[in-house]
Amino acid sequence: MSRTSTKPLVIVTRRLPEAVEARMMELFDTRLNEDDHAFTRGELVAAMETADVIVPTVTDQIDADMIAGAGDKLKLIASFGTGVDHVDTAAAVSRKITVTNTPGVLTEDTADMTMALILAVPRRLVEGERLARSGEWVGWAPTALLGHRIWGKRLGIVGMGRIGQAVARRARGFGLSIHYHNPRRLSEGAEADLEATYWESLDQMLARMDFISIHCPSTPATYHLLSARRLRLIQKTAYVINTSRGHAIDEAELARLLENGEIAGAGLDVYEHEPVVNPKLLKMQNTVLLPHIGSATLEGRIDMGEKVLINIQTFVDGHTPPDRVLPL
Ligand code: 8YV
């Protein structure tokens, strides 16, 4: 970044909470996206040719070609969000462009939404809500809208990082026993705190759980971690919950298994080809589908924005930003 220019040019690709945009404007020469449309590839390329700093979100795919074509001034990609699967971080690092994210501040909100899905699917919450509004509800009946009990069941958490652990803490309060698979086993103390059982074999865990909730980062190694083969290991009575990234699950196979009653239900906040949702999933009653709102709280978005501001300011001041991301 040129030391002679007074303020760096920061291009923000989506609307952020007012307070964050206002601070961004005070600190930097900021260009906002007034109508909040998702940038086209062309717009993103143009932004990367001119900006010193770009602030993208999950709706901006920044690949190696775009990074190769970036202007010499571009030195920082300060992403708004925790997952950085939309940025080719290896390509960025090889062009000496720093990448940052906003970890930690959306843990509790995402865990809340996960818990909401864990409750909503087996208790048929959305079906019930629709019936109550439809004008077709004829009154209480002992056998109406029977769901399944949550208390006493087994929850298998795939990816026991910050969010996975926050889900575990909540789920224990609902009487679920906690099981997990993770590349690294937690410390004895952490396992004891969460009363969590470690499964080295994902296959074995999947076959024995009543709920499976995905909380791993999206990397080439976790692409279709729940592959067609693994999805077929899941019990007929089990529910699959995903608030991480759609890529972790073979969505077409999940839809097929749900359609055939080979998996009981699914609660999804993320999809393989967002914003497109597999049409089979849309038609089913045993799915609860959300539009990627796991971290969508005003408080969370403000905290994320503050992290972006700190990352940019620290970088502009010549230091390593606190949330620097290195390629996995
Ligand atoms: C964000 C998310 O809304 O931070 C993440 O990784 O998945 C979401 O909760 C989005 O990514 C912001 O870019």
Side-chain angles (χ1 to χ4, degrees):
M1 202 163 303
S2 149
R3 291 247 166 207
T4 52
S5 70
T6 45
K7 286 180 176 180
L9 173 61
V10 177
I11 299 185
V12 185
T13 68
R14 300 303 299 264
R15 290 313 300 254
L16 303 181
E18 233 176 279
V20 176
E21 288 187 347
R23 190 71 186 127
M24 192 85 80
M25 307 270 272
E26 279 167 20
L27 291 171
F28 316 115
D29 176 11
T30 301
R31 240 183 252 166
L32 300 175
N33 173 357
E34 295 298 337
D35 67 5
D36 197 31
H37 67 282
F39 270 24
T40 62
R41 187 184 168 89
E43 285 174 305
L44 211 44
V45 165
M48 290 173 67
E49 274 166 9
T50 47
D52 295 298
V53 178
I54 183 157
V55 180
T57 74
V58 71
T59 57
D60 304 300
Q61 286 300 323
I62 301 183
D63 60 30
D65 282 350
M66 293 162 89
I67 286 171
D72 292 339
K73 280 169 62 191
L74 186 75
K75 290 284 177 273
L76 176 64
I77 299 175
S79 195
F80 183 89
T82 301
V84 284
D85 46 301
H86 55 290
V87 181
D88 189 327
T89 47
V93 166
S94 69
R95 263 214 65 184
K96 298 201 170 13
I97 296 172
T98 299
V99 179
T100 59
N101 66 346
T102 63
V105 290
L106 36 75
T107 305
E108 305 302 333
D109 296 327
T110 308
D112 283 345
M113 197 55 101
T114 306
M115 204 59 228
L117 288 171
I118 290 174
L119 300 175
V121 185
R123 295 305 307 272
R124 305 176 65 181
L125 187 129
V126 175
E127 277 178 84
E129 204 269 351
R130 282 194 200 118
L131 178 62
R133 277 176 196 272
S134 68
E136 284 164 26
W137 184 35
V138 290
W140 185 86
T143 55
L145 275 173
L146 297 184
H148 287 282
R149 180 177 291 160
I150 287 138
W151 188 90
K153 300 278 170 67
R154 295 172 147 204
L155 168 65
I157 297 178
V158 181
M160 197 59 142
R162 271 187 298 256
I163 298 175
Q165 292 180 42
V167 170
R169 280 192 289 275
R170 284 160 175 74
R172 283 180 52 217
F174 284 86
L176 286 158
S177 64
I178 309 301
H179 302 258
Y180 76 101
H181 171 81
N182 198 52
R184 259 182 303 143
R185 190 169 176 169
L186 297 182
S187 70
E188 234 175 88
E191 257 184 25
D193 279 352
L194 297 168
E195 293 180 68
T197 303
Y198 177 63
W199 293 74
E200 196 179 338
S201 159
L202 176 58
D203 288 9
Q204 286 183 20
M205 184 178 87
L206 291 176
R208 288 165 179 81
M209 295 298 122
D210 302 301
F211 291 88
I212 290 139
S213 192
I214 314 294
H215 299 288
C216 53
S218 178
T219 66
T222 60
Y223 176 79
H224 281 192
L225 187 64
L226 263 61
S227 59
R229 180 189 68 76
R230 286 204 171 114
L231 285 167
R232 287 188 222 117
L233 299 173
I234 293 171
Q235 305 188 89
K236 264 180 127 141
T237 49
Y239 300 93
V240 173
I241 310 295
N242 191 7
T243 55
S244 63
R245 283 290 182 273
H247 297 143
I249 302 182
D250 181 335
E251 193 174 285
E253 181 64 5
L254 176 66
R256 197 189 67 78
L257 292 168
L258 286 164
E259 199 177 37
N260 296 345
E262 288 169 63
I263 289 181
L268 306 173
D269 184 44
V270 289
Y271 307 89
E272 249 195 281
H273 309 287
E274 289 181 22
V276 176
V277 179
N278 185 307
K280 278 189 188 168
L281 294 173
L282 294 173
K283 283 196 220 123
M284 291 169 196
Q285 292 285 12
N286 55 346
T287 55
V288 174
L289 307 173
L290 299 177
H292 199 147
I293 53 168
S295 69
T297 67
L298 179 59
E299 294 87 341
R301 294 285 185 254
I302 290 174
D303 291 347
M304 289 160 80
E306 274 169 12
K307 277 201 160 259
V308 170
L309 291 167
I310 291 168
N311 283 322
I312 301 174
Q313 189 63 62
T314 315
F315 184 81
V316 170
D317 291 343
H319 308 292
T320 303
D323 304 311
R324 182 170 185 203
V325 179
L326 294 170
L328 286 171

